[in-house]
Amino acid sequence: QAPRKKQSPGARARSSAARRTAGAAPPRFIAPQLARLVSHAPADPGWGHEIKFDGYRMQMRVGGGKAALRTRTGLDWTPRFPEIAEAGSALPDCVIDGEIVALDRHGVPSFSALQSALVDEDTADLVYFVFDLLFLDGKDWRKKPLKERRAKLASLMEEKGVSNFLVYADSVDGA
């Protein structure tokens, strides 16, 4: 057996922690962060403002080449959105937060059109706007700054060139 280089206790601990978290499976469900009603938008620098899409908040979990879609309460709605789930299957293992939306002929979100699409089981024109990356390839991204998570999500969407069903939703920096 080849000789091993001795590691300091700190290096051993870091190496052990890296092995434990590198391939960590995400929790079965991650409760979403929800908007809170306030009297006015924060004026401090560092705040980001997101578009209100008027759709269904959905979490996409991709694992082993299959995507599942869960509501904000954890219900599996994958069968209701087969085209979006199929498009998400092209992504690496990850958990993404977003919102499924129906757009009218002018590109404006329409909640009534979304409800009609579900009732008619005609979901081929719906779009999943993605706005946060929670897990990627066994790594928990939730403690990283939102700006870093969003940048990685944007590059992932661009790199994979997934489809018209998955669209990165940018935010606006406040101040």
Side-chain angles (χ1 to χ4, degrees):
Q1 189 172 12
R4 287 176 146 173
K5 182 178 176 185
K6 282 195 166 201
Q7 288 182 319
S8 70
R12 275 195 303 272
R14 283 190 301 276
S15 175
S16 176
R19 279 193 306 277
R20 280 195 310 273
T21 60
R28 182 171 139 48
F29 178 71
I30 301 168
Q33 291 183 338
L34 301 175
R36 193 170 17 137
L37 183 62
V38 294
S39 59
H40 62 278
D44 301 337
W47 283 90
H49 304 279
E50 297 173 344
I51 295 168
K52 171 69 176 111
F53 286 110
D54 207 15
Y56 284 128
R57 182 78 172 266
M58 209 63 56
Q59 193 173 97
M60 178 181 282
R61 175 200 252 0
V62 182
K66 288 189 175 188
L69 295 161
R70 296 201 178 274
T71 66
R72 62 191 237 176
T73 60
L75 299 174
D76 185 357
W77 275 25
T78 308
R80 295 179 188 218
F81 306 107
E83 298 87 359
I84 292 171
E86 184 178 330
S89 296
L91 294 171
D93 291 0
C94 61
V95 178
I96 294 173
D97 194 8
E99 194 163 340
I100 294 180
V101 176
L103 301 174
D104 68 15
R105 68 178 195 264
H106 303 292
V108 176
S110 168
F111 190 71
S112 63
L114 176 58
Q115 290 177 313
S116 294
L118 284 168
V119 167
D120 297 340
E121 296 182 1
D122 182 15
T123 58
D125 292 329
L126 300 181
V127 177
Y128 182 49
F129 284 99
V130 299
F131 45 75
D132 198 0
L133 178 65
L134 307 176
F135 270 78
L136 178 62
D137 291 330
K139 293 185 182 133
D140 188 343
W141 280 66
R142 293 175 293 171
K143 292 192 179 185
K144 293 182 184 286
L146 179 60
K147 222 172 192 160
E148 188 177 334
R149 296 191 317 259
R150 290 179 57 80
K152 182 64 177 177
L153 180 59
S155 73
L156 181 65
M157 290 293 118
E158 187 177 311
E159 170 189 318
K160 290 295 173 182
V162 181
S163 77
N164 293 337
F165 295 111
L166 307 179
V167 175
Y168 174 73
D170 211 350
S171 64
V172 177
D173 288 335

